[in-house]
Amino acid sequence: MTAQILLSPPDVGALEESYVLRAIRSGWIAPAGPDLVAFEQEIAERTGTRYAVAVNSGTAALHLALLTLGAGPGQVVVVPTLTFAATANAVTYTGAEPVFVDCDPATGNIDVELLADLLHRLTAAGERIAAVIPVDMFGACADYDTLLPLCAAAQVPVVEDAAEALGATYRGRPAGSFGRVAALSFNGNKIITTSGGGMLVSDDAALIERCRYLSTQARQPVPHYEHTDIGYNYRLSNLLAALGRAQLSRLDEMMARRRDLRERYAKLFAATPGVRLLGDGDPGSNCWLTIVVVDPARAGWRADELAAHLAERQIETRPVWKPMHLQPVFDTARTALTGAAARLFDQGLTLPSGSALTETQIGRVLDATAQFLETHR
């Protein structure tokens, strides 16, 4: 039986085992310890920020960031419609209303011209805008040269959703360093993983300390258990932080493997009309996932036909995120749309991209894709 090739499986081995074993033997099993402190410092250094607090998911990081910025009922938060549900869900946890903006069809990142128009309309209508959350889609940063001045002019804080983008850069500056605060994810399919986990990074010491306080059940600094706020059990454990430290030490190696695979996909599709790689040519991308976008009118085939061909050969693919405004749970939300995200959902396909893929597995994927292209010329 042919083994399944997964999209982006965890890339862990002997180094990760040694870090976790060392943490276990140290006795720091509780959600505190030296690996947790060191992991926060190392992530802050990697993202070019001054402070960090580790939590148990990227969603928790977004939730705490929004709470700390005061998001709540009667306010709106601007979110790209092309994103994973966690971005919008974190907004709803606070009681604020997500308002969705369409994407740039070339990159999948938030359409900043559309954002400018939306901010103008919301401000003119007297709406209270708690934040804008740009998402660094599939490991490539948003257009911050344009976006940050827009938000500054509107006096709206930016919460950078860099869940997919650790290691990426924009004009030489690291993902996670834009805006007031940024959220990272270390979920199992991300470029590095702690199995589950996330982190907030910022240059704002008070903001990070407020998030740290809320992430530990809002316990007051007294000998007994004293609480004056509702807190959350969001802290990352020391054991998982140890796993994260091992993964972080290999980040550059893992990005290089993903970039090499993307370049091989680019060569494979280069002569096929109507086919492109989303965001291709971005030197700062961490190449977390590679997306092929297919115009069926020019290519003569659809993305879902390639997906079916690969699935028959035990190769996993996945459609691009279904836009939030098309999700039943958000179908009454306010939007600013061009149709770009819906087209990417219809025409995009995420290909196997993981750094743990072996040469044999990569060969199977490329050969199967080449076979499909040959039969659809």
Side-chain angles (χ1 to χ4, degrees), residues 156-171:
V156 177
V158 171
V159 177
E160 180 188 356
D161 184 343
E164 306 166 7
L166 178 63
T169 57
Y170 175 78
R171 300 188 187 280

Side-chain angles (χ1 to χ4, degrees), residues 225-254:
Y225 289 101
E226 183 85 6
H227 305 274
T228 57
D229 294 291
I230 297 297
Y232 303 87
N233 186 13
Y234 278 174
R235 205 71 168 108
L236 190 72
S237 80
N238 190 66
L239 292 184
L240 296 186
L243 174 59
R245 293 186 69 197
Q247 288 269 281
L248 183 60
S249 74
R250 298 178 50 227
L251 174 59
D252 289 325
E253 162 206 327
M254 291 192 280

